[in-house]
Amino acid sequence: MEIIEGDPIEGKAWRALVLLEPGQELDIGWVFGHHLARANGQLISAVLLPTREESLIAQARETLALARNVCVEQLTHHTLILHAPDARRALPELVQSADIDLVISRADARETHDFSRVPCAVAVLRGQAYSKPAVVEDPETERPQPASIDRILLPTAGGPNTIDSLSFLLPLTNRTEITALFVATDYLSVDADTVGAARLRQVLQFADATERVEAKTRVSWSATAGIVAEANEDYDLVILGASRESSLDRALFGNVVDSVVRQSRKPVIVVREGNGTLGNLGSRLAWRVQRIFPRKTMSDRVQIYTRLRRNARADTDYFTLIALSAGIAAFGLLLNSPAVIIGAMLVAPLMSPIVGVGLAIVQGDGRFLRLAVGAVLRGAMWATVVGFVIGLIRPDDPLTAEVLSRTAPTLLDLGVALLAGMAGAYALCESDAAGALPGVAIAAALVPPLASAGIALAAFLFGPARAQLGLGALLLFSTNFIAITSAAVFVFLALGFRPNVTRKERRDLQIRTVRIALVMLAIVSALLAVITYGLAQEDALEAQVREVTAVRVAELPDVELQELIIGNLEENVLNLELTVRSTEPDALDFRAVVALQEQIGTDLQREVALELVIIDVTRLDPFRPPTLTPTATATAPPTPGPAPTPSSTPTGTPTTEPSPTPSPSSSPSSSPTPPPTATDTLQPTATPSPVPTATIVPSPTPRLAVVVSPFGLNLRATPGIDGALLALLEPGAQVVLLEETETVDGDIWLAVASGDLQGWVLGAFLETPAPAIDTDLP
């Protein structure tokens, strides 16, 4: 396509394109386009030439000169002569480049156009009968001007083509009388006229034409007969929606459009709505759901728009309520109190600006959109700061369950937000449903995620691992924001909110922002799907661990599983803490625990570190009292075992110097002295040498200790039961005592070395071997 004469069309405006032929006289089609453009925007008169013949160009210039001369001065009128060898491709290209809203053409034109490829609305003139000439002279200026169109008949059955026609016909009502006609066939129902009147009211209310278009119902034996009978009255033009009847209907009753064109004495313009645009899809969707959501009148929509725009402003009251709500929520999160958190939800004022974002998108109001989005973002930032400041009160405390529950959003949260957004938008539009707003505020939960993010960021200063939790809380708020906005867009479209057809810049903004909202909703849905899948996998793994552990514990005699604490499933070694009850605790020895650990690890196909706590249980049956007959207990013979643990206190035997044999005392003894034996007289009495007492000498470095726990002893990386498990020391194993000791929760922890490992063990389960005593005499 090449422009022979004329300038490219630029800028945003509603435009009607009238296709003319070389040498053609102006007809009712051009007059109709002229009046529409005068009421809505701009007019483009164009001639598409298959060749560049000079004769054709000259004829096209004459036709366009007449159009320029007839066109009123107040109307912006563009004329174009185009070289279009392929008219089927040239017309869609021209519509897109000039941003055309309506194409008007004659059905009997010499050039055949493929209107199915044209994205905008199309009006095709059928029949040329017209009671008045298309061009008349103005008696005051004595210059030609377009003839007036005083009355238009618009037959309708309530289809989308008629509604699309009303969108650009309504501005003509200041000078033209428009009558919407519904033909009710009398053979279908005795109340056909009542049904037709109700259908007309529904169509006119949907198009905001109740007060500007006359509604008329006519009962006839067929739709064609009723339209023709009405059209033959005092009407200048008949506008019909393109037929969507099936082939069977056409075979039985004939095509309505063809029949009206043949039988009426008035020109007929057949209108088809735009093809495949997002705006048309939204209109069709709104038309489908209008029976579910009652559409609002124009006055009601103006009141709702004014109220929501006023409530979306970020003033002093707004920021004050945000700070109070965030403070209440933060304290409730730290206290792990759901009741306090619910109170914070009721105070939060974030719902109004978020719903306002949805209304601004539907209306295509850029200023309102910036106002509402700015209020939401500044309010969210302020709530996060308040949560961060309050989180500094107890930054190193473990995060409560209420905080953690808001750091991992799933697709379920997205579903809740979508329904809450629909309920919130509907409640803000319906005064009778305003009582639902507190429930919507609780369901949406906008401020608690922001306070949770602030608390997690405060804890991040003391524990970097908590930064991910803060991002999860912000993702939950983003999910709620995007879902509520998207749901509000749907509700407002269903209630009839939309930009004026002549405000093309608003329509373009509406389409762009709706696309952005859908893309963001898809991105958030994808992220939540990944998180949901990961949580489902973790839950499945945890369920598997619990099932395997329960089965293996059940195989042990007289043992019942009381509690199972599972460590981090992502670590290489899975830490399990089991608490069991047993009537025979002595039956669980160290080997049984090791075997249980190996069995669980084999079933799970991963390394397992097991800690077992046994609760001794005594079962008493009230129907079987214990017997009073004493039972003889067999005393087991003494089993040689290790010597008692030597005390660190030196032995009490005094160390004495050797003394000479005592001489007979000169004083008489109180006890008789035994007579000397023969041995005593034959050899001198041996003077007993004093036995030296073994003195404890400090053991040389390294000092050794022995594990005396029958179940073994855990070697941990840090002192305390929360330290990472390095190894399990077997009973009787020797370790090297190091110099360090720590006291944790009243227990003494010793630093030891075992092989290449160094760690901490409970000192109560170590004993130092007794030092060797040399009993040989010198």
Side-chain angles (χ1 to χ4, degrees), residues 657-717:
E657 297 294 333
S659 60
T661 303
S663 59
S665 175
S666 58
S667 60
S669 175
S670 59
S671 59
T673 304
T677 61
T679 306
D680 295 335
T681 58
L682 295 177
Q683 65 182 29
T685 302
T687 302
S689 301
V691 179
T693 303
T695 304
I696 296 179
V697 180
S699 57
T701 305
R703 295 181 299 162
L704 300 180
V706 179
V707 177
V708 296
S709 171
F711 301 105
L713 188 58
N714 291 325
L715 179 64
R716 298 187 180 275

Short mmCIF file of all heavy atoms in Angstrom, two decimals, residues 657-717:
data_model
loop_
_atom_site.label_atom_id
_atom_site.label_comp_id
_atom_site.label_asym_id
_atom_site.label_seq_id
_atom_site.Cartn_x
_atom_site.Cartn_y
_atom_site.Cartn_z
N GLU A 657 57.61 -41.95 108.29
CA GLU A 657 59.02 -42.33 108.15
C GLU A 657 59.26 -43.66 108.88
O GLU A 657 58.63 -43.95 109.89
CB GLU A 657 59.91 -41.25 108.77
CG GLU A 657 59.80 -39.90 108.08
CD GLU A 657 60.34 -39.98 106.68
OE1 GLU A 657 61.21 -40.84 106.41
OE2 GLU A 657 59.88 -39.18 105.83
N PRO A 658 60.17 -44.49 108.42
CA PRO A 658 60.47 -45.76 109.13
C PRO A 658 61.00 -45.45 110.54
O PRO A 658 61.83 -44.57 110.75
CB PRO A 658 61.55 -46.41 108.26
CG PRO A 658 61.44 -45.70 106.93
CD PRO A 658 60.94 -44.35 107.19
N SER A 659 60.47 -46.15 111.49
CA SER A 659 60.88 -45.97 112.91
C SER A 659 61.55 -47.23 113.42
O SER A 659 61.24 -48.33 112.98
CB SER A 659 59.65 -45.65 113.76
OG SER A 659 58.72 -46.69 113.67
N PRO A 660 62.49 -47.09 114.35
CA PRO A 660 63.16 -48.29 114.89
C PRO A 660 62.21 -49.12 115.72
O PRO A 660 61.14 -48.66 116.11
CB PRO A 660 64.28 -47.69 115.76
CG PRO A 660 63.77 -46.32 116.11
CD PRO A 660 62.98 -45.86 114.96
N THR A 661 62.62 -50.35 115.92
CA THR A 661 61.78 -51.27 116.69
C THR A 661 61.62 -50.72 118.09
O THR A 661 62.60 -50.34 118.75
CB THR A 661 62.46 -52.67 116.80
OG1 THR A 661 62.68 -53.11 115.46
CG2 THR A 661 61.57 -53.65 117.55
N PRO A 662 60.45 -50.65 118.58
CA PRO A 662 60.26 -50.07 119.91
C PRO A 662 60.88 -50.94 120.98
O PRO A 662 60.80 -52.17 120.93
CB PRO A 662 58.74 -49.97 120.01
CG PRO A 662 58.21 -50.99 119.06
CD PRO A 662 59.17 -51.08 117.96
N SER A 663 61.53 -50.30 122.01
CA SER A 663 62.13 -51.03 123.15
C SER A 663 61.07 -51.28 124.18
O SER A 663 60.05 -50.58 124.24
CB SER A 663 63.27 -50.20 123.75
OG SER A 663 62.75 -48.94 124.16
N PRO A 664 61.32 -52.26 125.06
CA PRO A 664 60.31 -52.57 126.07
C PRO A 664 60.07 -51.37 126.94
O PRO A 664 60.97 -50.64 127.34
CB PRO A 664 60.94 -53.72 126.84
CG PRO A 664 61.97 -54.29 125.93
CD PRO A 664 62.47 -53.17 125.10
N SER A 665 58.83 -51.18 127.15
CA SER A 665 58.45 -50.06 127.99
C SER A 665 58.79 -50.34 129.43
O SER A 665 58.66 -51.47 129.92
CB SER A 665 56.95 -49.81 127.82
OG SER A 665 56.54 -48.81 128.69
N SER A 666 59.28 -49.33 130.21
CA SER A 666 59.64 -49.51 131.61
C SER A 666 58.42 -49.57 132.50
O SER A 666 58.46 -50.12 133.58
CB SER A 666 60.56 -48.36 132.07
OG SER A 666 59.87 -47.14 131.87
N SER A 667 57.32 -49.03 132.01
CA SER A 667 56.10 -49.09 132.79
C SER A 667 55.38 -50.37 132.51
O SER A 667 55.41 -50.87 131.39
CB SER A 667 55.22 -47.90 132.47
OG SER A 667 54.90 -47.90 131.10
N PRO A 668 54.71 -50.88 133.53
CA PRO A 668 54.02 -52.15 133.29
C PRO A 668 52.88 -51.95 132.30
O PRO A 668 52.22 -50.93 132.28
CB PRO A 668 53.52 -52.54 134.68
CG PRO A 668 53.44 -51.25 135.43
CD PRO A 668 54.52 -50.38 134.90
N SER A 669 52.68 -52.97 131.51
CA SER A 669 51.59 -52.93 130.52
C SER A 669 50.32 -53.40 131.16
O SER A 669 50.32 -54.26 132.05
CB SER A 669 51.94 -53.83 129.32
OG SER A 669 50.86 -53.87 128.45
N SER A 670 49.24 -52.85 130.73
CA SER A 670 47.95 -53.21 131.29
C SER A 670 47.45 -54.52 130.77
O SER A 670 46.60 -55.15 131.37
CB SER A 670 46.93 -52.11 130.94
OG SER A 670 46.83 -51.96 129.54
N SER A 671 47.98 -54.97 129.68
CA SER A 671 47.55 -56.25 129.12
C SER A 671 48.72 -57.20 129.19
O SER A 671 49.87 -56.82 129.03
CB SER A 671 47.11 -56.08 127.67
OG SER A 671 48.16 -55.58 126.89
N PRO A 672 48.44 -58.49 129.42
CA PRO A 672 49.53 -59.48 129.52
C PRO A 672 50.25 -59.62 128.21
O PRO A 672 49.64 -59.62 127.15
CB PRO A 672 48.81 -60.75 129.93
CG PRO A 672 47.39 -60.57 129.47
CD PRO A 672 47.10 -59.14 129.57
N THR A 673 51.52 -59.76 128.35
CA THR A 673 52.36 -59.93 127.16
C THR A 673 52.44 -61.39 126.84
O THR A 673 52.72 -62.22 127.71
CB THR A 673 53.77 -59.40 127.42
OG1 THR A 673 53.64 -58.03 127.81
CG2 THR A 673 54.64 -59.52 126.18
N PRO A 674 52.19 -61.79 125.61
CA PRO A 674 52.27 -63.20 125.26
C PRO A 674 53.70 -63.70 125.39
O PRO A 674 54.65 -62.97 125.16
CB PRO A 674 51.81 -63.22 123.80
CG PRO A 674 52.04 -61.85 123.28
CD PRO A 674 51.89 -60.93 124.45
N PRO A 675 53.80 -64.94 125.79
CA PRO A 675 55.15 -65.52 125.96
C PRO A 675 55.85 -65.63 124.63
O PRO A 675 55.22 -65.85 123.61
CB PRO A 675 54.87 -66.89 126.58
CG PRO A 675 53.46 -67.22 126.15
CD PRO A 675 52.74 -65.93 126.10
N PRO A 676 57.14 -65.46 124.68
CA PRO A 676 57.88 -65.58 123.42
C PRO A 676 57.88 -66.99 122.89
O PRO A 676 57.92 -67.95 123.65
CB PRO A 676 59.30 -65.12 123.80
CG PRO A 676 59.40 -65.37 125.25
CD PRO A 676 58.04 -65.19 125.85
N THR A 677 57.82 -67.08 121.61
CA THR A 677 57.85 -68.37 120.95
C THR A 677 59.27 -68.78 120.69
O THR A 677 60.22 -68.01 120.87
CB THR A 677 57.09 -68.30 119.63
OG1 THR A 677 57.74 -67.34 118.80
CG2 THR A 677 55.63 -67.86 119.83
N ALA A 678 59.32 -70.02 120.24
CA ALA A 678 60.67 -70.54 119.97
C ALA A 678 61.33 -69.75 118.86
O ALA A 678 62.53 -69.54 118.86
CB ALA A 678 60.58 -72.03 119.60
N THR A 679 60.54 -69.38 117.96
CA THR A 679 61.14 -68.61 116.86
C THR A 679 61.71 -67.32 117.38
O THR A 679 62.75 -66.84 116.93
CB THR A 679 60.09 -68.32 115.80
OG1 THR A 679 59.50 -69.53 115.39
CG2 THR A 679 60.67 -67.62 114.58
N ASP A 680 61.02 -66.77 118.34
CA ASP A 680 61.48 -65.49 118.85
C ASP A 680 62.84 -65.62 119.52
O ASP A 680 63.66 -64.70 119.49
CB ASP A 680 60.47 -64.92 119.85
CG ASP A 680 59.16 -64.58 119.18
OD1 ASP A 680 59.16 -64.33 117.93
OD2 ASP A 680 58.11 -64.56 119.86
N THR A 681 63.11 -66.78 120.14
CA THR A 681 64.36 -66.92 120.85
C THR A 681 65.48 -67.34 119.94
O THR A 681 66.65 -67.13 120.24
CB THR A 681 64.23 -67.97 121.97
OG1 THR A 681 63.82 -69.22 121.38
CG2 THR A 681 63.17 -67.51 122.96
N LEU A 682 65.15 -68.02 118.86
CA LEU A 682 66.22 -68.49 118.00
C LEU A 682 66.70 -67.43 117.00
O LEU A 682 67.82 -67.49 116.54
CB LEU A 682 65.78 -69.75 117.24
CG LEU A 682 65.50 -70.99 118.14
CD1 LEU A 682 65.01 -72.16 117.32
CD2 LEU A 682 66.79 -71.39 118.91
N GLN A 683 65.84 -66.50 116.56
CA GLN A 683 66.27 -65.47 115.59
C GLN A 683 65.73 -64.13 116.00
O GLN A 683 64.69 -64.03 116.67
CB GLN A 683 65.83 -65.81 114.17
CG GLN A 683 64.32 -65.82 113.99
CD GLN A 683 63.97 -66.21 112.57
OE1 GLN A 683 64.71 -66.94 111.97
NE2 GLN A 683 62.85 -65.71 112.08
N PRO A 684 66.43 -63.16 115.68
CA PRO A 684 65.98 -61.82 116.10
C PRO A 684 64.65 -61.44 115.42
O PRO A 684 64.33 -61.90 114.34
CB PRO A 684 67.12 -60.92 115.65
CG PRO A 684 67.76 -61.66 114.52
CD PRO A 684 67.64 -63.12 114.86
N THR A 685 63.93 -60.64 116.10
CA THR A 685 62.62 -60.18 115.55
C THR A 685 62.85 -59.20 114.42
O THR A 685 63.60 -58.22 114.54
CB THR A 685 61.83 -59.49 116.67
OG1 THR A 685 61.67 -60.41 117.73
CG2 THR A 685 60.46 -59.04 116.15
N ALA A 686 62.21 -59.54 113.34
CA ALA A 686 62.36 -58.65 112.16
C ALA A 686 61.58 -57.37 112.36
O ALA A 686 60.41 -57.39 112.75
CB ALA A 686 61.87 -59.36 110.90
N THR A 687 62.27 -56.33 112.14
CA THR A 687 61.61 -55.03 112.27
C THR A 687 60.78 -54.76 111.01
O THR A 687 61.31 -54.74 109.90
CB THR A 687 62.65 -53.93 112.43
OG1 THR A 687 63.44 -54.21 113.57
CG2 THR A 687 61.97 -52.57 112.59
N PRO A 688 59.45 -54.60 111.17
CA PRO A 688 58.62 -54.42 109.94
C PRO A 688 58.91 -53.07 109.27
O PRO A 688 59.00 -52.05 109.93
CB PRO A 688 57.20 -54.46 110.49
CG PRO A 688 57.33 -54.05 111.91
CD PRO A 688 58.66 -54.54 112.39
N SER A 689 59.10 -53.20 107.99
CA SER A 689 59.31 -51.95 107.21
C SER A 689 57.97 -51.31 106.90
O SER A 689 57.00 -51.99 106.52
CB SER A 689 60.05 -52.25 105.90
OG SER A 689 61.29 -52.85 106.18
N PRO A 690 57.88 -50.05 107.07
CA PRO A 690 56.59 -49.38 106.74
C PRO A 690 56.27 -49.45 105.25
O PRO A 690 57.14 -49.29 104.41
CB PRO A 690 56.83 -47.94 107.19
CG PRO A 690 58.30 -47.75 107.14
CD PRO A 690 58.91 -49.10 107.49
N VAL A 691 54.98 -49.79 104.99
CA VAL A 691 54.56 -49.89 103.57
C VAL A 691 54.25 -48.48 103.05
O VAL A 691 53.40 -47.78 103.59
CB VAL A 691 53.30 -50.77 103.45
CG1 VAL A 691 52.84 -50.84 101.99
CG2 VAL A 691 53.60 -52.15 103.99
N PRO A 692 54.96 -48.07 102.09
CA PRO A 692 54.69 -46.70 101.57
C PRO A 692 53.33 -46.61 100.89
O PRO A 692 52.95 -47.53 100.17
CB PRO A 692 55.83 -46.46 100.58
CG PRO A 692 56.25 -47.82 100.15
CD PRO A 692 56.04 -48.73 101.34
N THR A 693 52.61 -45.58 101.18
CA THR A 693 51.29 -45.37 100.58
C THR A 693 51.46 -44.75 99.18
O THR A 693 52.24 -43.82 98.99
CB THR A 693 50.46 -44.42 101.45
OG1 THR A 693 50.37 -44.97 102.76
CG2 THR A 693 49.07 -44.21 100.87
N ALA A 694 50.70 -45.33 98.25
CA ALA A 694 50.80 -44.82 96.85
C ALA A 694 50.26 -43.41 96.78
O ALA A 694 49.11 -43.14 97.14
CB ALA A 694 50.04 -45.73 95.91
N THR A 695 51.03 -42.49 96.34
CA THR A 695 50.63 -41.08 96.20
C THR A 695 50.15 -40.83 94.76
O THR A 695 50.84 -41.20 93.82
CB THR A 695 51.81 -40.16 96.52
OG1 THR A 695 52.28 -40.46 97.83
CG2 THR A 695 51.38 -38.70 96.42
N ILE A 696 48.93 -40.22 94.65
CA ILE A 696 48.36 -39.98 93.30
C ILE A 696 49.16 -38.88 92.62
O ILE A 696 49.28 -37.77 93.14
CB ILE A 696 46.89 -39.58 93.40
CG1 ILE A 696 46.09 -40.75 93.97
CG2 ILE A 696 46.32 -39.15 92.05
CD1 ILE A 696 44.63 -40.46 94.14
N VAL A 697 49.70 -39.21 91.49
CA VAL A 697 50.49 -38.26 90.70
C VAL A 697 49.64 -37.79 89.53
O VAL A 697 48.95 -38.58 88.91
CB VAL A 697 51.78 -38.93 90.19
CG1 VAL A 697 52.61 -37.94 89.38
CG2 VAL A 697 52.58 -39.46 91.36
N PRO A 698 49.57 -36.52 89.26
CA PRO A 698 48.77 -36.05 88.12
C PRO A 698 49.13 -36.77 86.85
O PRO A 698 50.31 -36.96 86.55
CB PRO A 698 49.11 -34.56 88.04
CG PRO A 698 49.60 -34.20 89.41
CD PRO A 698 50.28 -35.42 89.94
N SER A 699 48.07 -37.24 86.13
CA SER A 699 48.30 -38.02 84.91
C SER A 699 48.92 -37.14 83.85
O SER A 699 48.60 -35.96 83.72
CB SER A 699 46.96 -38.56 84.38
OG SER A 699 46.07 -37.50 84.14
N PRO A 700 49.79 -37.70 83.12
CA PRO A 700 50.44 -36.90 82.06
C PRO A 700 49.44 -36.58 80.95
O PRO A 700 48.49 -37.27 80.74
CB PRO A 700 51.55 -37.82 81.57
CG PRO A 700 51.06 -39.20 81.87
CD PRO A 700 50.28 -39.09 83.14
N THR A 701 49.69 -35.50 80.22
CA THR A 701 48.89 -35.12 79.05
C THR A 701 49.23 -36.07 77.90
O THR A 701 50.40 -36.34 77.64
CB THR A 701 49.19 -33.68 78.65
OG1 THR A 701 48.96 -32.84 79.79
CG2 THR A 701 48.31 -33.24 77.51
N PRO A 702 48.23 -36.62 77.17
CA PRO A 702 46.81 -36.37 77.29
C PRO A 702 46.15 -37.20 78.39
O PRO A 702 46.56 -38.30 78.65
CB PRO A 702 46.27 -36.75 75.91
CG PRO A 702 47.19 -37.84 75.46
CD PRO A 702 48.54 -37.50 76.01
N ARG A 703 45.06 -36.63 78.96
CA ARG A 703 44.28 -37.38 79.92
C ARG A 703 43.23 -38.19 79.19
O ARG A 703 42.60 -37.71 78.27
CB ARG A 703 43.61 -36.42 80.90
CG ARG A 703 44.61 -35.64 81.77
CD ARG A 703 43.84 -34.73 82.72
NE ARG A 703 43.05 -33.76 81.97
CZ ARG A 703 42.04 -33.08 82.50
NH1 ARG A 703 41.70 -33.29 83.76
NH2 ARG A 703 41.35 -32.21 81.78
N LEU A 704 42.99 -39.38 79.68
CA LEU A 704 42.04 -40.27 79.02
C LEU A 704 40.80 -40.41 79.88
O LEU A 704 40.84 -40.28 81.10
CB LEU A 704 42.66 -41.65 78.79
CG LEU A 704 43.91 -41.69 77.90
CD1 LEU A 704 44.40 -43.12 77.77
CD2 LEU A 704 43.60 -41.11 76.53
N ALA A 705 39.67 -40.67 79.20
CA ALA A 705 38.42 -40.95 79.88
C ALA A 705 37.69 -42.02 79.09
O ALA A 705 37.95 -42.23 77.89
CB ALA A 705 37.56 -39.70 79.99
N VAL A 706 36.77 -42.71 79.77
CA VAL A 706 36.07 -43.85 79.18
C VAL A 706 34.58 -43.55 79.16
O VAL A 706 34.03 -43.01 80.12
CB VAL A 706 36.34 -45.14 79.99
CG1 VAL A 706 35.59 -46.32 79.38
CG2 VAL A 706 37.83 -45.44 80.03
N VAL A 707 33.91 -43.91 78.06
CA VAL A 707 32.46 -43.76 77.95
C VAL A 707 31.80 -44.87 78.75
O VAL A 707 32.01 -46.06 78.48
CB VAL A 707 32.02 -43.82 76.47
CG1 VAL A 707 30.51 -43.75 76.36
CG2 VAL A 707 32.66 -42.70 75.67
N VAL A 708 31.01 -44.49 79.76
CA VAL A 708 30.37 -45.48 80.64
C VAL A 708 28.88 -45.61 80.36
O VAL A 708 28.21 -46.39 81.02
CB VAL A 708 30.60 -45.09 82.11
CG1 VAL A 708 32.07 -45.13 82.46
CG2 VAL A 708 30.01 -43.72 82.40
N SER A 709 28.31 -44.84 79.40
CA SER A 709 26.89 -44.97 79.08
C SER A 709 26.66 -46.27 78.33
O SER A 709 27.36 -46.57 77.35
CB SER A 709 26.43 -43.79 78.23
OG SER A 709 25.13 -44.02 77.75
N PRO A 710 25.68 -47.09 78.74
CA PRO A 710 25.43 -48.36 78.04
C PRO A 710 24.89 -48.15 76.63
O PRO A 710 24.86 -49.09 75.84
CB PRO A 710 24.41 -49.06 78.93
CG PRO A 710 23.71 -47.97 79.65
CD PRO A 710 24.77 -46.92 79.89
N PHE A 711 24.40 -46.94 76.31
CA PHE A 711 23.84 -46.67 74.99
C PHE A 711 24.80 -45.88 74.11
O PHE A 711 24.41 -45.41 73.04
CB PHE A 711 22.53 -45.89 75.12
CG PHE A 711 21.48 -46.60 75.91
CD1 PHE A 711 21.18 -46.22 77.19
CD2 PHE A 711 20.81 -47.69 75.37
CE1 PHE A 711 20.22 -46.87 77.93
CE2 PHE A 711 19.85 -48.35 76.10
CZ PHE A 711 19.55 -47.96 77.38
N GLY A 712 25.99 -45.68 74.56
CA GLY A 712 26.91 -44.86 73.81
C GLY A 712 26.74 -43.39 74.16
O GLY A 712 25.90 -43.01 74.97
N LEU A 713 27.54 -42.54 73.54
CA LEU A 713 27.55 -41.12 73.87
C LEU A 713 27.70 -40.32 72.59
O LEU A 713 28.53 -40.64 71.73
CB LEU A 713 28.70 -40.82 74.84
CG LEU A 713 28.74 -39.41 75.43
CD1 LEU A 713 27.45 -39.11 76.18
CD2 LEU A 713 29.94 -39.27 76.36
N ASN A 714 26.86 -39.25 72.43
CA ASN A 714 26.89 -38.38 71.24
C ASN A 714 28.03 -37.39 71.34
O ASN A 714 28.20 -36.72 72.37
CB ASN A 714 25.58 -37.63 71.08
CG ASN A 714 24.45 -38.55 70.71
OD1 ASN A 714 24.64 -39.51 69.97
ND2 ASN A 714 23.25 -38.26 71.20
N LEU A 715 28.80 -37.30 70.29
CA LEU A 715 29.86 -36.30 70.16
C LEU A 715 29.30 -35.17 69.30
O LEU A 715 28.95 -35.38 68.14
CB LEU A 715 31.10 -36.90 69.49
CG LEU A 715 32.28 -35.94 69.27
CD1 LEU A 715 32.83 -35.45 70.60
CD2 LEU A 715 33.37 -36.62 68.44
N ARG A 716 29.18 -33.97 69.90
CA ARG A 716 28.54 -32.85 69.21
C ARG A 716 29.56 -31.76 68.90
O ARG A 716 30.59 -31.65 69.55
CB ARG A 716 27.40 -32.28 70.06
CG ARG A 716 26.29 -33.29 70.30
CD ARG A 716 25.10 -32.66 70.99
NE ARG A 716 24.04 -33.62 71.22
CZ ARG A 716 23.11 -33.94 70.33
NH1 ARG A 716 23.14 -33.35 69.15
NH2 ARG A 716 22.18 -34.83 70.61
N ALA A 717 29.18 -30.92 67.91
CA ALA A 717 30.10 -29.86 67.46
C ALA A 717 30.18 -28.72 68.46
O ALA A 717 31.22 -28.07 68.58
CB ALA A 717 29.66 -29.33 66.10
#
